[in-house]
Every structure is written in C-alpha cells, then in structure tokens.
Amino acid sequence: MMTWLPRRAAGYRSPVTTSIALFTRDLRVHDNPVLHAAAAADRCIPLFVLDDAIVSSAFFNANRAAFLSDCLADLDRSLRDRGGELVVRRGKLADEVARVVRAHDVTEIHVAADVSRYARRREEALEALGADLHVHDQSINAVPPLSLTPSGGGDHFAVFTPYFRRWETMHRRGVLRAPGRLTVPEISGEAPGRLHHGTPSPELAAGGETVGRELMADWVRTGVEDYADLHDALADDATSHLSPHLHFGTVSVTELLDRAGTASEGAQAYTRQLAWRDFHHQVLAARPESATKDYRTRNDRWRRSDRDFEAWRDGRTGYPIVDAAMRQLDREGWMHNRARLIVASFLCKTLYLDWRRGAQHFVDLLVDCDLANNQMNWQWVAGTGTDTRPNRVHNPLAQARRYDPDGTYVKRYLPALADLAPQHVHEPWTLPEEERKALDYPAPIVDLREAADRFAAARSRKR
DNA sequence: GGGCAATTCAG
DNA sequence: TGAATTGCC
C-alpha cells in the first residue's frame, strides 16, 4: 500500500488557503460579510446549496422558487464579472459542502450566523467538516434577535415601542464593499439552471441583486421621503417593494438603513418598519412555537367554515377591498401591506376563522414571506400576538374608504367593478337592484354588524 | 441593588 | 388591558 497522508492530519498546513463562501439568505456581492472575508483567501469558492430540506418544506412555494432562481442567476453573473462564478449544488446541505471541501482542499468555510433551529443545526454540521468554520455577523436583521432584552428582565421584548427605543441606539457595522477580483479554482463552469417548483404568479416581480439595488437606489432617492404620507395609500403603491429582496438578502438591511437615513419623516417611518421586522424576529427566536401556537392565547374557538375560507382565499367575499387584495396576491405573489392588514382582519375578526389558515395561505403565495413576520403579523391582527389591544377590529369598509377613496385599487384587480362610481365601488350592494344584478360580482358573504357582535360575544364568553 | 407599586402609553 | 419603565424604599 502506498503511503498516503490524510490531508487534515495533525500539523499539516496547506500551502494555499481555499475558502468556501457559503451563501444562505445573503444572495449578494455588496455588503456581504461572508463573501468579503472568504474572498481574502488565496482561492474562494462561492457556493449555494439548494437544500432538500428547504425545497420540500411547507414554507417553500412557486413564487419564492422563481425569485430564488433569478437571485442565483444574477449572483452568478456578478461573480463572473469578478472572475469567479457561483457553484450551485442540490441535496443535503452538509453532504454537498463536505463534497466540495474534500474535492478542493478547502481550509475555511464562511457562513452568516442565524438563530433559527435549522441554521443552528447547519452550523453544527459545518463544524464537523474539518475546515475552519467562520460564522460572520448575521445578515438578516440590523439588530440580531435576542441581542436586546428589557432592562426589567425577560428574554425578549413583547411590546414594540420600548424595543424600538433601544433598537435605535444600537451601533450598526459599516457597509462593506463588493470584492474586486475573485480567484475560483476550476470547478464546474456551468451557470445555475432554473428551479421549477410549480407555476409562479403571472406578474411576479423579478429577483436578484441587480434588480434589488436598482429598487433600493430609486427608493432612497425618490420614494422614501413620502413614505410617512403615502405608505397606506393602496392605489399609489408607494411602498418600497424591497421585502423579497430583504428576505433573500439581495439587498442588505444594513446598507438600506444607512442609505435611507433619518432625515425625512418618511425615512423615519420606514426605519420604524424595518425595526418591526427585527422585533418580530426576536419574538419568534425567543418563542419559536409562536409560528403555530397563539403567542398569548385569548382562548378563541375559531369557526371552521371551508366555504367562508375558500371565498376569502379566492377573492369572492363580496367585499371589494378584500377581494381585490386577494386577487393581487394571486396575480403578483405580493400584497400591499395595508391590504394584508385588511384581509387578515377580515379572516380573523369578521369571519372569525383561525389565523393559522390565513397565514398558511400567505406562506403558499407570498414571494417575500418570512416566517417570523408573517406569523407574528397574523397573530397581531388576530389579537393573539403582541398587540396590546387584542379586541381591535378593522372595519373593511372604513379601511377601504380611507385608504382607497376613489376605488382605484379595487378596480385594478376587480375589472367587474371598473365602471362603478366612488360611492358604490366599495359597497356594490348599495346599487339599484338591476345594476347590481348586472354586475359579475358576488353579494357579501357576511354582515359586518352581525360579525362584530359574534366576535365580541365569543371574546367576552371566553375571558 | 432587588423588589415592588405607580405611572405611562400602546400600530 | 398589560408590558416596560421609573421611582421609591
């Protein structure tokens, strides 16, 4: 038998350093601590593993698969511009990384920190591969979950405002440059193919860092200053549309906060929204069971009506503001934030159906769907979350008149109502009999007065 | 400085 | 209504 030294035998030092930059939810070359550090090695392998565990989970969907495909293709182009490429593998993450480690004498693995159980296991598995593991600042939040606790004790904040006061005082790291040239060992040479995972929404936005950075640039230049005034105006759609980019890390939240600044009222309001994201992440990190269980139960005995749920899901409730929003979700894989609030409240408070069903439908369609934000916002609306006013009900008509006064938003997604005057568009049942019958639009499935009474009665009975 | 009541204020 | 902070001992 020939003498053969294991590569990682004690005392052995490879003459060259070879790193893996393992991309996770940071699919960008700018302001990426992982890539920045990994690129300092002699050779660097930018790697993304499409983990079977994620692809087969109930939290993956066709829209996120399509968006992710865009992200990987764009990342590959950016890396090729720098002399590198993106290596994409599919399978069990640790196995795939191990294969690359063995095949290319990898000496160091760089990855971003993350608090989810999945991510902690990933770290353990990477630790066992023999190369030095460098876990960098997490990229998902501006302030990492569980790094702030109330001064009076407790492992997390349960109310937003005191959290935000502390959040604002936290130091943020500086924004990192994209690496210049990369030296990647001879490896695969093939651009990542598209991932097929069902049919995406027809008007799904494109993904990728290039698109994300353009959106960010436009947003900080012309959008954010009006955010305070316009963020709830449904028809204007004057929100950033950056949520899927924040989810996949094609835009860095640290860079975004830096560039948005706090000069205008709009920038301050927007910063607050980004802090809500971190707030929800720290709630779910501390109470992971809140993804499926009431954070604070109100002992609701939710109705179980498939008929009502399906009418809501398919945009056939007879309330135009609700139905338009559900059509937007179907068409774009995205929904205006104010509309999310309205439809969620309609499901939980008006129809009195379980928030989990609604949350799961969002998970199934939203391109930006983030578990912590989705579940905790649903719980907030349902009154089982961190809202300190658990009985608050959003009246869909009041919301519609206030945030879509002339019905432009409703008409955009419900062409059947295109010719209605503003005073009828949100309540087509007020039209004269014949005109109403001529509309291809259903009658309301529920009476708001009765629904409010039902909710109040259910809540008072159970306290 | 720990523990408690009072106070403040919340998407 | 209840969480967080503040003020008091």
Side-chain angles (χ1 to χ4, degrees):
Chain A
M1 183 173 266
M2 63 188 279
T3 38
W4 177 85
L5 262 183
R7 290 197 174 101
R8 221 122 340 267
Y12 175 80
R13 271 267 166 264
S14 174
V16 287
T17 53
T18 304
S19 66
I20 288 178
L22 184 61
F23 288 93
T24 53
R25 281 176 58 179
D26 47 6
L27 303 175
R28 60 176 184 270
V29 296
H30 294 87
D31 192 42
N32 187 331
V34 168
L35 182 63
H36 193 264
D42 298 322
R43 307 188 305 169
C44 171
I45 304 172
L47 175 66
F48 180 82
V49 179
L50 189 56
D51 192 348
D52 288 339
I54 290 194
V55 175
S56 59
S57 89
F59 289 102
F60 204 56
N61 69 36
N63 288 329
R64 284 204 292 287
F67 196 91
L68 175 61
S69 291
D70 291 348
C71 296
L72 297 177
D74 187 69
L75 185 55
D76 184 55
R77 277 192 295 273
S78 300
L79 292 167
R80 280 173 195 272
D81 287 347
R82 292 168 169 77
E85 66 176 292
L86 180 66
V87 177
V88 177
R89 294 280 186 267
R90 177 151 182 183
K92 280 184 69 179
L93 183 126
D95 294 350
E96 296 306 317
V97 178
R99 249 189 267 280
V100 176
V101 168
R102 279 196 304 269
H104 299 279
D105 278 337
V106 169
T107 53
E108 48 196 81
I109 302 173
H110 296 259
V111 67
D114 188 345
V115 293
S116 70
R117 203 167 49 150
Y118 170 82
R120 287 201 307 268
R121 286 194 185 144
R122 176 174 64 205
E123 262 177 50
E124 284 168 26
L126 294 174
E127 192 85 63
L129 296 184
D132 292 334
L133 180 65
H134 300 261
V135 180
H136 296 270
D137 285 351
Q138 62 91 44
S139 281
I140 299 168
N141 306 102
V143 173
L146 310 181
S147 61
L148 297 182
T149 52
S151 47
D155 59 352
H156 73 291
F157 278 88
V159 172
F160 175 72
T161 305
Y163 174 79
F164 182 59
R165 278 199 287 267
R166 290 278 297 287
W167 183 93
E168 276 185 307
T169 67
M170 295 298 287
H171 170 79
R172 284 199 303 271
R173 65 169 172 78
V175 173
L176 301 168
R177 239 185 254 276
R181 276 202 76 74
L182 286 172
T183 309
V184 176
E186 202 58 41
I187 186 158
S188 84
E190 230 173 274
R194 276 200 85 78
L195 168 66
H196 294 287
H197 196 269
T199 310
S201 296
E203 293 177 29
L204 181 68
E209 184 181 14
T210 304
V211 175
R213 291 188 73 77
E214 278 167 18
L215 272 178
M216 168 163 67
D218 287 349
W219 176 245
V220 300
R221 198 174 57 239
T222 59
V224 72
E225 62 185 321
D226 295 325
Y227 185 76
D229 300 326
L230 295 180
H231 74 281
D232 276 328
L234 287 164
D236 289 323
D237 196 6
T239 62
S240 72
H241 287 255
L242 286 168
S243 52
H245 294 280
L246 290 170
H247 180 77
F248 287 97
T250 42
V251 163
S252 148
V253 70
T254 303
E255 184 176 359
L256 177 58
L257 280 163
D258 249 46
R259 291 177 62 172
T262 51
S264 65
E265 223 177 289
Q268 287 163 30
Y270 186 64
T271 297
R272 205 177 154 86
Q273 290 305 307
L274 292 175
W276 266 99
R277 230 181 125 249
D278 288 1
F279 173 73
H280 284 145
H281 279 104
Q282 59 98 45
V283 172
L284 198 69
R287 299 281 181 276
E289 70 279 4
S290 300
T292 53
K293 292 194 169 66
D294 290 346
Y295 174 78
R296 251 199 301 278
T297 187
R298 310 289 172 180
N299 296 309
D300 289 289
R301 293 173 61 186
W302 306 105
R303 288 168 62 244
R304 158 110 214 162
S305 164
D306 290 344
R307 179 189 148 272
D308 286 357
F309 176 77
E310 283 158 18
W312 174 85
R313 181 194 64 196
D314 300 337
R316 292 184 282 102
T317 66
Y319 287 88
I321 195 73
V322 174
D323 295 342
M326 298 308 290
R327 305 288 174 97
Q328 179 177 33
L329 176 60
D330 190 54
R331 206 156 106 182
E332 301 171 14
W334 187 86
M335 196 192 287
H336 191 287
N337 184 57
R338 173 54 55 175
R340 296 185 197 201
L341 184 70
I342 297 171
V343 302
S345 180
F346 192 84
L347 187 84
C348 300
K349 301 284 173 75
T350 305
L351 296 178
Y352 202 47
L353 299 178
D354 196 322
W355 63 266
R356 278 158 280 241
R357 290 193 86 178
Q360 185 59 47
H361 181 61
F362 274 25
V363 164
D364 292 341
L365 284 180
L366 280 173
V367 66
D368 61 17
C369 188
D370 176 277
L371 190 63
N373 284 299
N374 190 58
Q375 310 307 86
M376 295 321 295
N377 272 319
W378 268 94
Q379 291 224 48
W380 187 87
V381 172
T384 64
T386 57
D387 190 359
T388 51
R389 289 162 58 192
N391 295 319
R392 167 196 348 245
V393 178
H394 290 92
N395 181 312
L397 281 182
Q399 294 282 310
R401 291 190 199 110
R402 190 155 164 207
Y403 299 115
D404 186 30
D406 52 10
T408 306
Y409 176 77
V410 157
K411 292 177 184 185
R412 190 178 301 154
Y413 297 101
L414 296 172
L417 306 182
D419 298 328
L420 298 197
Q423 67 270 27
H424 293 301
V425 70
H426 292 303
E427 35 201 330
W429 56 87
T430 58
L431 285 167
E433 182 85 9
E434 302 98 77
E435 284 181 57
R436 184 164 51 80
K437 282 185 172 159
L439 284 180
D440 179 21
Y441 189 72
I445 60 166
V446 63
D447 178 82
L448 290 184
R449 185 77 246 157
E450 284 167 24
D453 291 347
R454 172 171 65 197
F455 178 72
R459 276 287 167 87
S460 66
R461 213 179 325 116
K462 295 307 296 178
R463 310 283 239 95

